[in-house]
Amino acid sequence: LAKTTQPISMDSYEGQEVNITCSHNNIATNDYITWYQQFPSQGPRFIIQGYKTKVTNEVASLFIPADRKSSTLSLPRVSLSDTAVYYCLVGRGGGFKTIFGAGTRLFVKA
Amino acid sequence: DAGVTQSPTHLIKTRGQQVTLRCSPKSGHDTVSWYQQALGQGPQFIFQYYEEEERQRGNFPDRFSGHQFPNYSSELNVNALLLGDSALYLCASKQVGMETQYFGPGTRLLVL
């Protein structure tokens, strides 16, 4: 089962770009990488998903190197409302093979 | 387009009781998974339903059971509640063959 390692916490200031890196050394060939954002007492909110190279949507970018053993979530110009826990998941189709770690607690300061 | 919905939002039970939580998947989705999230931890996978059958199961005792209905909605049942069952219970749905799961708002269960 693919396990992920993320920093426990990160601090940033409003307007800065935040990059959160996730290690997943034993990612399987057909695994996808997915990032979720979670606020206290709410369900995780899907941010972005990718398989290789770079993926960008309206809220974030996901950078995946060629060996796919890590990935970086990039949040441009964060605001106070981006203070949340960010989870990196590696797997396919949900289920028992897709494991949530402890996540990264991002704190954005004014 | 309605997202994943769950009911109730909050629930208080006492030890030994039984509880049923409900989930309606996002429109067009046919696969439902349930997760338990203890305070300060990441969600843990309980089980996944597709075509009204349990397809995958995580490391949870038989006290945790579920059901999926023909309209793809799902229930999570927990029997003989323990204090340690207090958690946020999350439902996630996806379309079979697709990779992205979408989560509901969760049900906060408190066992006294």
Side-chain angles (χ1 to χ4, degrees):
Chain A
L1 300 179
K3 182 180 177 181
T4 60
T5 303
Q6 305 174 230
I8 294 174
S9 64
M10 296 180 67
D11 288 346
S12 183
Y13 289 92
E14 280 191 294
Q16 289 189 332
E17 178 185 72
V18 171
N19 296 307
I20 306 174
T21 297
C22 178
S23 296
H24 29 80
N25 291 320
N26 58 342
I27 186 170
T29 302
N30 58 355
D31 283 345
Y32 280 73
I33 300 159
T34 309
W35 286 80
Y36 288 91
Q37 175 195 57
Q38 188 177 29
F39 300 110
S41 296
Q42 295 185 26
R45 170 179 163 256
F46 172 81
I47 301 174
I48 198 166
Q49 184 178 71
Y51 182 79
K52 62 180 179 180
T53 63
K54 177 184 175 182
V55 180
T56 298
N57 62 22
E58 63 276 8
V59 298
S61 294
L62 178 60
F63 299 92
I64 306 170
D67 65 5
R68 302 199 331 121
K69 293 184 182 300
S70 67
S71 59
T72 299
L73 173 71
S74 181
L75 304 172
R77 299 179 298 282
V78 294
S79 64
L80 297 178
S81 63
D82 292 317
T83 294
V85 178
Y86 292 81
Y87 292 100
C88 162
L89 276 75
V90 172
R92 191 173 177 88
F96 71 93
K97 293 185 178 180
T98 305
I99 302 172
F100 279 85
T104 297
R105 297 181 181 278
L106 173 64
F107 185 66
V108 180
K109 296 177 277 189
Chain B
D1 177 23
V4 181
T5 60
Q6 293 186 243
S7 63
T9 56
H10 296 83
L11 204 53
I12 300 175
K13 292 286 188 178
T14 56
R15 282 178 297 175
Q17 285 189 313
Q18 178 263 344
V19 68
T20 297
L21 310 182
R22 295 175 176 81
C23 170
S24 291
K26 185 178 170 65
S27 177
H29 289 185
D30 52 18
T31 303
V32 173
S33 296
W34 286 92
Y35 293 80
Q36 180 195 66
Q37 186 173 26
L39 205 59
Q41 298 182 19
Q44 289 193 52
F45 174 73
I46 303 175
F47 41 53
Q48 184 180 76
Y49 276 84
Y50 170 66
E51 290 187 328
E52 304 179 47
E53 291 188 12
E54 183 183 295
R55 300 291 178 169
Q56 298 184 41
R57 189 178 183 92
N59 189 27
F60 278 81
D62 292 343
R63 298 188 297 110
F64 290 78
S65 63
H67 189 77
Q68 185 180 34
F69 299 94
N71 67 352
Y72 308 118
S73 67
S74 178
E75 288 182 348
L76 164 65
N77 301 292
V78 187
N79 295 322
L81 284 167
L82 304 174
L83 297 180
D85 294 331
S86 295
L88 180 68
Y89 287 86
L90 297 161
C91 171
S93 74
K94 73 180 196 75
Q95 190 174 355
V96 69
M98 304 299 286
E99 297 305 321
T100 307
Q101 284 194 122
Y102 294 90
F103 283 81
T107 294
R108 173 70 66 184
L109 173 65
L110 177 61
V111 182
L112 301 176

